[in-house]
Amino acid sequence: MSFMEFKNICKKYENAERNSVTDFNLTIEEKEFIAFVGPSGCGKSTTLRMVAGFEEITSGDLYIDGKRVNDMAPRDRGIAMVFQNYALYPHMTVEKNIGYGLRNMKVPEAEVQKKVDWAIRILGLEEFRTRKPKNLSGGQRQRVALGRAIVKNQKLFLMDEPLSNLDAKLRVSMRNEISKLHRELGTTTIYVTHDQVEAMTMADRIVIMKDGVIQQAGAPMELYEHPVNKFVAGFIGSPQMNFYPVTIHGKELRFRDGSMILLPDEVTARLQGRNGELIMGIRGEDLKLDAESVKQYNDSIQRAVVENAEVMGNENNLYFTFGGSLTVARVSKYEVSRIGDKIAFVFLPGKMHFFDKDTENAIG
């Protein structure tokens, strides 16, 4: 049996018109780092709260370490939780905040001190040991919150958007801290975030949710390269995948503005004979402006005028209208284009994704 099993979990609040979580099925292995992601209101935090025991499960069964926990009190589930709000006691020092839960559990003082010293050491909080929360930065406060969780030595960590209150630089730093901590401790972790970059860089597997339903679960690059539907394709990746309404007739792919591409055999094979109106998607890095790519696909060269350019340092994002849709090409830092420049580009046909116009499910 897997370490955790969600079996047809549903959550419906009283007087609500629809479920907040519907038919949630998932298995999690011991020591895995799982990220729940999706837009606001998708049910990811509600699912986490059901795992913690803060929300009742309307129907279905939840197992942790082989035990059905639906009716088990939160304190008996073997979990430690880190919240978006650090919830530190303002009148306590760092070491007292970290050890408070253990003292509440009547753990012998010598053991409390040993565990607190260990947490302070691995989290790099030695010089802040006697400081109170008001004298700490956001990142330091978050590390104290992590310390309070890890000293309990539980089998399962639950993290609910723990980095959302930090600035961009601190978020990157804390992502590394949490990933390193997970490698050292090997504790099974469920991490809720709305930030797909956090999920991609930290998780072993990602669960993407929409309207309370799992859309796809898998390794980060599996979701990036093989999305099961248009929602997943658009949610994972930054900048977002480009989408175009297109018409397919045999090998001919035609855009709304009349532009046309001839598809190679390997792409038409993936379409399995589908013709008519579809949605084509392609990531910004798979639109090529370099001379070698343009030469290779010279029978499918397209043209546009740059409307905006984001200089990112290591790369550039070029925005323009093509095929009736706003398009972004992600190019190298050496391919500098300015607003108003006319560009020639090609699509990498092997990187095209196709979706049913009505269901938006992936084809092939």
Side-chain angles (χ1 to χ4, degrees):
M1 179 179 268
S2 299
F3 177 71
M4 288 191 69
E5 290 191 38
F6 298 78
K7 293 186 174 182
N8 306 110
I9 298 291
C10 295
K11 175 65 181 180
K12 187 176 183 182
Y13 290 99
E14 190 175 353
N15 300 322
E17 293 184 2
R18 62 179 182 85
N19 289 351
S20 294
V21 177
T22 301
D23 203 25
F24 191 101
N25 287 281
L26 184 71
T27 59
I28 299 176
E29 302 303 326
E30 195 169 8
K31 300 184 179 181
E32 267 198 297
F33 193 119
I34 303 292
F36 290 174
V37 298
S40 297
C42 73
K44 55 188 185 293
S45 288
T46 299
T47 304
L48 195 77
R49 290 175 64 81
M50 286 191 284
V51 175
F54 301 155
E55 296 282 0
E56 287 187 6
I57 296 171
T58 304
S59 63
D61 299 293
L62 174 63
Y63 294 86
I64 300 176
D65 204 13
K67 299 174 184 175
R68 185 178 181 274
V69 301
N70 290 46
D71 304 314
M72 191 179 288
R75 66 178 177 274
D76 299 325
R77 297 191 181 196
I79 62 172
M81 195 159 183
V82 181
F83 298 93
Q84 177 180 349
N85 184 335
Y86 315 131
L88 302 179
Y89 294 103
H91 62 287
M92 291 185 183
T93 62
V94 165
E95 62 180 350
K96 287 184 177 178
N97 262 290
I98 292 175
Y100 180 78
L102 295 176
R103 292 186 175 95
N104 237 16
M105 295 162 62
K106 309 300 182 186
V107 174
E109 187 59 33
E111 188 177 345
V112 171
Q113 199 58 55
K114 182 179 178 182
K115 288 187 173 183
V116 169
D117 289 344
W118 166 77
I120 285 176
R121 185 178 68 255
I122 69 170
L123 290 169
L125 291 168
E126 289 95 339
E127 63 181 292
F128 311 109
R129 177 188 290 267
T130 58
R131 290 192 192 181
K132 292 180 179 178
K134 67 179 181 181
N135 297 317
L136 300 173
S137 69
Q140 289 158 0
R141 291 178 196 175
Q142 191 57 273
R143 276 187 278 168
V144 175
L146 284 169
R148 189 173 51 191
I150 66 175
V151 292
K152 293 180 181 178
N153 198 30
Q154 304 288 28
K155 292 185 176 181
L156 177 62
F157 286 168
L158 306 180
M159 300 190 182
D160 191 4
E161 304 210 33
L163 308 185
S164 59
N165 288 337
L166 305 181
D167 61 43
K169 185 177 180 181
L170 265 179
R171 283 202 301 271
V172 173
S173 173
M174 285 304 303
R175 285 205 309 256
N176 292 330
E177 294 274 357
I178 292 173
S179 296
K180 181 182 176 183
L181 193 61
H182 177 257
R183 288 193 300 271
E184 289 181 5
L185 302 180
T187 306
T188 308
T189 301
I190 301 178
Y191 187 100
V192 164
T193 179
H194 64 276
D195 186 338
Q196 52 94 10
V197 175
E198 280 183 21
M200 289 286 288
T201 55
M202 297 172 70
D204 299 317
R205 282 193 296 148
I206 299 173
V207 177
I208 299 182
M209 298 180 68
K210 178 189 177 188
D211 298 331
V213 177
I214 294 178
Q215 301 296 301
Q216 189 173 359
M221 287 310 296
E222 178 186 343
L223 272 57
Y224 190 83
E225 297 285 359
H226 305 290
V228 297
N229 58 35
K230 182 173 178 279
F231 175 80
V232 172
F235 191 84
I236 290 291
S238 180
Q240 180 178 290
M241 181 182 284
N242 301 298
F243 295 108
Y244 307 92
V246 298
T247 304
I248 305 286
H249 289 295
K251 290 189 172 186
E252 185 180 286
L253 180 152
R254 193 169 291 276
F255 296 87
R256 270 185 178 171
D257 63 359
S259 303
M260 191 265 290
I261 292 175
L262 289 176
L263 300 174
D265 291 339
E266 61 267 25
V267 176
T268 55
R270 273 197 289 127
L271 287 170
Q272 302 167 351
R274 292 286 296 267
N275 282 289
E277 295 183 354
L278 300 176
I279 299 169
M280 189 272 278
I282 192 164
R283 298 203 180 276
E285 65 265 29
D286 298 321
L287 274 69
K288 299 296 185 182
L289 282 68
D290 62 284
E292 185 177 341
S293 297
V294 170
K295 182 179 179 181
Q296 183 178 355
Y297 300 102
N298 61 7
D299 56 345
S300 295
I301 296 173
Q302 309 299 327
R303 289 178 169 80
V305 176
V306 175
E307 297 170 7
N308 192 26
E310 293 177 340
V311 178
M312 311 294 288
N314 61 326
E315 63 187 17
N316 298 315
N317 294 329
L318 306 181
Y319 292 86
F320 50 90
T321 299
F322 175 80
S325 302
L326 180 65
T327 297
V328 56
R330 196 174 173 186
V331 300
S332 80
K333 63 182 179 181
Y334 304 109
E335 297 173 78
V336 180
S337 294
R338 293 172 295 182
I339 296 172
D341 283 357
K342 295 179 180 179
I343 56 171
F345 65 95
V346 295
F347 295 91
L348 294 185
K351 295 295 185 177
M352 291 178 176
H353 299 261
F354 293 93
F355 307 93
D356 185 274
K357 178 189 172 186
D358 298 317
T359 67
E360 297 190 349
N361 289 332
I363 298 169

